[in-house]
């Protein structure tokens, strides 16, 4: 991964088959699969092996046949098809497994093991797992080159995958609405730091026989700064109120050197534009994003909503907390009319919620926003950073639940932000004040619909710099929504952090809207 950028990795993830396929029959692979010799296995064994590796210098295996793999680009990769009759049935067909072929963007193979009790046996790669065209450079690879990753298909012969692991420590699910979008990562290291970001990778996967509703996957992880072991207990729509995909994760990491920024519960998404910055978008579609905001349930019980930005430069926002109840990147806008894309269906992209277990103590949720000029680049990262720095020899144990839904699993019974709009300040029909912008934030839900115009609803607005003026609120006729409106003039060109919520008397009626306003993206459009 050291020669690739984040955009290489995420672009390749989008291009290599993580989308629904055409219907076909599903065959059994018992006779087509060759297994290697068994090895002792348990999660404790996997953790102990990671600890042992971390005590030694990082020694990645050299990439085999690198020159040949380099020639297997997007087009060549698409032509290599997994043979359906080699599908591996885990848990009596409840989790059919298929594999990805190696190529230019995924040159390092992963081990695939099937667990039986206290033993695990490797699935031995052979070229006949794939239909390889006669003129494909893949025919020049060693016959034991290995697999790049895997995907889990729908059971019962449905030709559609709902879970995929491919590249570094990334994984993703189609979630509740059967549409891939953002990705998760086991961890992230040195995101948006002066030094290059590090991409640890899963090196081996172990599949246990699933129960009626749960698929168990284990993985070994390795990188220059860390070794680790991860367990997923994955269920789909089996719990009350949880219709999507639920992943209970146990992560055990061992640092082989000091790590400047160690992020867990990592989510990676894409935000190009929405109703807030639509005026700067060159595309014909009204909105393009996999997620439109970061939601946080703080340890003190406050609910925060931070709309995403496509900033003029890389920005890192830090939300300090103690024992957070959860956070996630959400896609709240589910209206097709606001996207108009019937090819990739942005209105169906999953929201993913991180729910800590056993208390995470002091630290911060960090949000990294990277400028982008297209929808093919995942430019949003959110994760938790412990307050205690991770040093050489440290052991980090993290347990949490990931839920892939259309919304967060337990939305609060308060008003929530549904849109953020920005335009010229001042009053229509009168001279507009120079460099003053009007911000309009709509809230919906909770008790808001029970209040009338003159029943004491107020907007509480603040900004880290600049001047807020002309604040007022009003119900939006016929919708049940309330709208907060205010004018703002920046004191300079530095980013401004804004805060807003609605209250009646001394009771908060809504979550807290947090917004990072970039004056240099707006003042030139409102020069007076």
């Amino acid at each position: 991964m050291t020669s690739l950028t984040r955009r290489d990795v995420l672009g390749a993830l989008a291009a290599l088959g993580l989308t629904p396929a055409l219907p076909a029959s599903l065959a059994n692979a018992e006779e087509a699969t060759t297994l290697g010799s068994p090895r002792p296995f348990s999660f404790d064994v996997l953790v102990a092996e990671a600890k042992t590796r971390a005590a030694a210098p990082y020694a990645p295996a050299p990439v085999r046949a690198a020159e040949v793999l380099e020639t297997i680009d997007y087009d060549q990769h698409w032509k290599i098809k997994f043979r359906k009759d080699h599908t591996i049935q885990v848990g009596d067909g409840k989790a059919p497994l298929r594999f990805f072929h190696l190529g230019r963007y995924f040159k390092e193979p992963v081990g695939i093991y099937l667990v039986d009790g206290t033993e695990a046996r490797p699935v031995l790669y052979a070229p006949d797992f794939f239909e390889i065209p006669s003129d494909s450079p893949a025919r020049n690879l060693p016959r034991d080159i290995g697999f790049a990753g895997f995907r889990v298909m729908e059971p019962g012969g449905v030709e559609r995958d709902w879970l995929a692991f491919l590249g570094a420590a990334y994984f993703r699910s189609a979630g509740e609405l059967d549409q891939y979008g953002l990705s998760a990562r086991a961890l992230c290291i040195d995101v948006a730091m002066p030094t290059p970001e590090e991409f640890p990778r899963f090196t081996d996967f172990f599949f246990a026989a699933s129960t009626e509703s749960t698929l168990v996957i284990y993985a070994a992880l390795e990188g220059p700064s860390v070794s680790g072991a991860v367990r997923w207990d994955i269920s789909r729509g089996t719990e009350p109120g949880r219709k999507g995909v639920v992943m209970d994760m146990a992560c055990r990491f061992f640092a082989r050197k000091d790590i400047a920024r160690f992020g867990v519960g990592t989510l990676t998404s894409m935000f190009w534009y929405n109703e807030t910055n639509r005026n700067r978008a060159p595309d014909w579609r009204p909105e393009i994003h996999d997620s439109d905001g970061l939601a946080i349930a703080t340890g003190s019980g406050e609910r925060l909503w931070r709309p995403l930005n496509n900033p003029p430069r890389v920005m890192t926002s830090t939300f300090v907390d103690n024992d957070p109840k959860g956070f996630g990147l959400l896609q709240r806008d589910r209206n097709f009319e606001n996207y108009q894309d019937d090819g990739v269906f942005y209105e169906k992209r999953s929201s993913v919620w991180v729910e800590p277990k056993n208390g995470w103590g002091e630290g911060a949720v960090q949000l990294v926003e990277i400028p982008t000029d297209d929808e093919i680049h995942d430019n949003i990262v959110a994760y938790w950073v412990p307050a205690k720095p991770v040093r050489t020899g440290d052991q980090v144990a993290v347990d949490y639940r990931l839920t892939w839904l259309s919304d967060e699993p337990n939305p609060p019974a308060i008003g929530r932000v549904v849109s953020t709009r920005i335009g010229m300040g001042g009053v229509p029909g009168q001279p507009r004040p120079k460099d003053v912008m009007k911000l309009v934030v709509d809230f919906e839900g909770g008790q808001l619909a029970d209040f009338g115009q003159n029943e004491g609803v107020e907007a509480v607005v603040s900004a880290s710099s600049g001047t807020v003026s002309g604040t007022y609120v009003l119900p939006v006729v016929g919708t049940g929504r309330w709208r907060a409106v205010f004018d703002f003039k920046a004191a300079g060109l530095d980013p401004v952090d804004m805060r807003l919520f609605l209250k009646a008397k001394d009771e908060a009626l809504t979550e807290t809207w947090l917004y990072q306003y970039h004056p240099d993206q707006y003042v030139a459009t409102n020069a007076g």
Side-chain angles (χ1 to χ4, degrees):
M1 299 300 300
T2 54
S3 64
L4 299 179
T5 66
R6 172 187 299 279
R7 292 185 173 185
D8 290 329
V9 175
L10 275 299
L13 285 173
L16 296 183
L18 301 186
T19 53
L22 297 175
S25 62
L26 190 65
N28 196 295
E30 289 181 357
E31 296 182 0
T33 302
T34 302
L35 301 180
S37 300
R39 52 163 282 185
F41 179 80
S42 70
F43 188 49
D44 288 342
V45 168
L46 205 62
V47 171
E49 291 174 345
K51 184 176 181 179
T52 299
R53 292 196 308 271
Y58 177 60
V63 176
R64 302 170 62 202
E67 297 81 4
V68 178
L69 291 172
E70 183 65 23
T71 64
I72 304 176
D73 58 14
Y74 290 144
D75 293 336
Q76 291 288 348
H77 207 282
W78 267 111
K79 296 176 183 178
I80 301 172
K81 305 296 184 182
F82 187 88
R83 289 179 53 182
K84 299 179 181 66
D85 61 349
H86 280 54
T87 301
I88 294 178
Q89 306 289 357
V90 175
D92 297 327
K94 297 183 181 69
L97 295 181
R98 296 183 183 175
F99 306 119
F100 293 108
H101 199 280
L102 293 170
R104 174 179 294 179
Y105 297 102
F106 309 99
K107 295 179 180 178
E108 298 172 289
V110 297
I112 302 291
Y113 293 80
L114 302 182
V115 177
D116 184 7
T118 59
E119 292 184 335
R121 299 180 67 188
V123 176
L124 302 182
Y125 171 89
D128 62 3
F129 269 94
F130 299 91
E131 296 175 1
I132 303 176
S134 59
D135 60 348
S136 173
R139 288 186 171 270
N140 298 320
L141 292 169
R143 294 186 62 81
D144 62 346
I145 191 65
F147 305 104
F150 70 90
R151 56 181 179 161
V152 181
M153 310 299 292
E154 295 280 358
V158 179
E159 283 294 293
R160 183 175 62 241
D161 57 342
W162 61 272
L163 178 65
F165 285 64
L166 179 64
Y170 287 89
F171 57 98
R172 57 172 60 177
S173 173
E176 178 182 357
L177 301 177
D178 293 324
Q179 182 66 49
Y180 282 107
L182 78 169
S183 301
R185 297 168 64 181
L187 78 165
C188 59
I189 295 179
D190 293 346
V191 177
M193 296 288 286
T195 55
E197 181 176 351
E198 182 179 316
F199 291 90
R201 62 180 292 265
F202 296 128
T203 58
D204 297 279
F205 293 100
F206 303 80
F207 299 87
S210 62
T211 65
E212 184 65 30
S213 60
T214 303
L215 172 65
V216 181
I217 303 174
Y218 307 86
L221 179 141
E222 188 72 357
S225 299
V226 66
S227 289
V230 183
R231 171 175 172 151
W232 294 261
D233 289 75
I234 306 172
S235 59
R236 302 180 66 197
T238 59
E239 298 185 24
R242 295 178 186 262
K243 299 178 182 179
V245 174
V246 179
M247 301 178 177
D248 287 304
M249 294 182 59
C251 304
R252 305 293 181 262
F253 302 120
F254 302 89
R256 55 165 45 97
K257 66 179 185 180
D258 294 352
I259 299 175
R261 182 172 288 175
F262 186 91
V264 298
T266 306
L267 306 176
T268 302
S269 192
M270 179 274 293
F271 178 86
W272 189 7
Y273 63 89
N274 66 357
E275 75 277 354
T276 307
N277 60 333
R278 176 71 185 90
N279 63 316
R280 300 195 305 278
D283 196 271
W284 64 271
R285 290 164 291 180
E287 300 184 29
I288 298 179
H289 49 81
D290 286 340
S291 308
D292 51 12
L294 168 67
I296 302 175
T298 70
S300 65
E302 186 179 14
R303 288 283 184 152
L304 308 177
W305 176 253
R306 168 59 154 79
L308 297 180
N309 268 325
N310 182 5
R313 51 198 170 277
V314 176
M315 300 297 301
T316 301
S317 300
T318 300
F319 307 92
V320 177
D321 202 2
N322 187 18
D323 283 339
K325 292 180 173 61
F327 66 92
L329 290 175
L330 310 185
Q331 185 79 310
R332 282 188 172 173
D333 190 341
R334 296 292 177 188
N335 186 351
F336 172 79
E337 295 297 323
N338 293 338
Y339 301 97
Q340 292 291 332
D341 194 321
D342 58 357
V344 296
F345 300 103
Y346 285 113
E347 77 279 3
K348 295 183 179 181
R349 301 300 172 102
S350 277
S351 296
V352 181
W353 186 256
V354 179
E355 187 178 339
K357 297 182 179 180
N358 306 321
W360 281 6
E362 296 182 351
V365 176
Q366 286 194 329
L367 172 67
V368 176
E369 297 165 302
I370 303 170
T372 189
D373 58 3
D374 205 339
E375 63 197 287
I376 64 172
H377 306 306
D378 274 20
N379 62 317
I380 303 296
V381 191
Y383 49 88
W384 172 262
V385 179
K388 180 183 177 182
V390 175
R391 304 300 187 197
T392 304
D394 282 355
Q395 304 179 22
V396 181
V398 181
D399 296 326
Y400 58 98
R401 168 171 284 187
L402 278 184
T403 307
W404 306 68
L405 278 172
S406 60
D407 196 357
E408 59 187 279
N410 298 298
I414 56 175
R416 301 203 293 171
V417 178
V418 293
S419 67
T420 301
R421 294 181 172 86
I422 301 178
M424 291 189 299
V427 179
Q430 299 183 14
R432 300 299 181 109
K434 182 179 179 181
D435 295 340
V436 173
M437 304 302 295
K438 190 177 298 294
L439 287 91
V440 180
V441 184
D442 283 3
F443 295 86
E444 186 175 39
Q447 303 177 45
L448 288 176
D450 298 334
F451 286 84
Q453 172 71 66
N454 300 312
E455 294 186 40
V457 177
E458 302 176 55
V460 181
V461 188
S462 62
S464 59
S465 64
T467 303
V468 174
S469 63
T471 302
Y472 64 93
V473 296
L474 73 163
V476 182
V477 176
T479 66
R481 296 181 178 183
W482 275 77
R483 177 167 294 166
V485 183
F486 65 94
D487 280 1
F488 179 77
K489 182 170 183 177
L493 295 180
D494 291 336
V496 180
D497 291 317
M498 298 178 172
R499 184 179 181 93
L500 163 68
F501 67 94
L502 302 186
K503 72 172 186 176
K505 298 181 179 178
D506 291 324
E507 179 183 358
L509 299 176
T510 69
E511 65 188 1
T512 300
W513 172 85
L514 302 176
Y515 188 67
Q516 189 170 80
Y517 174 80
H518 292 270
D520 49 353
Q521 291 187 321
Y522 292 100
V523 294
T525 67
N526 188 26

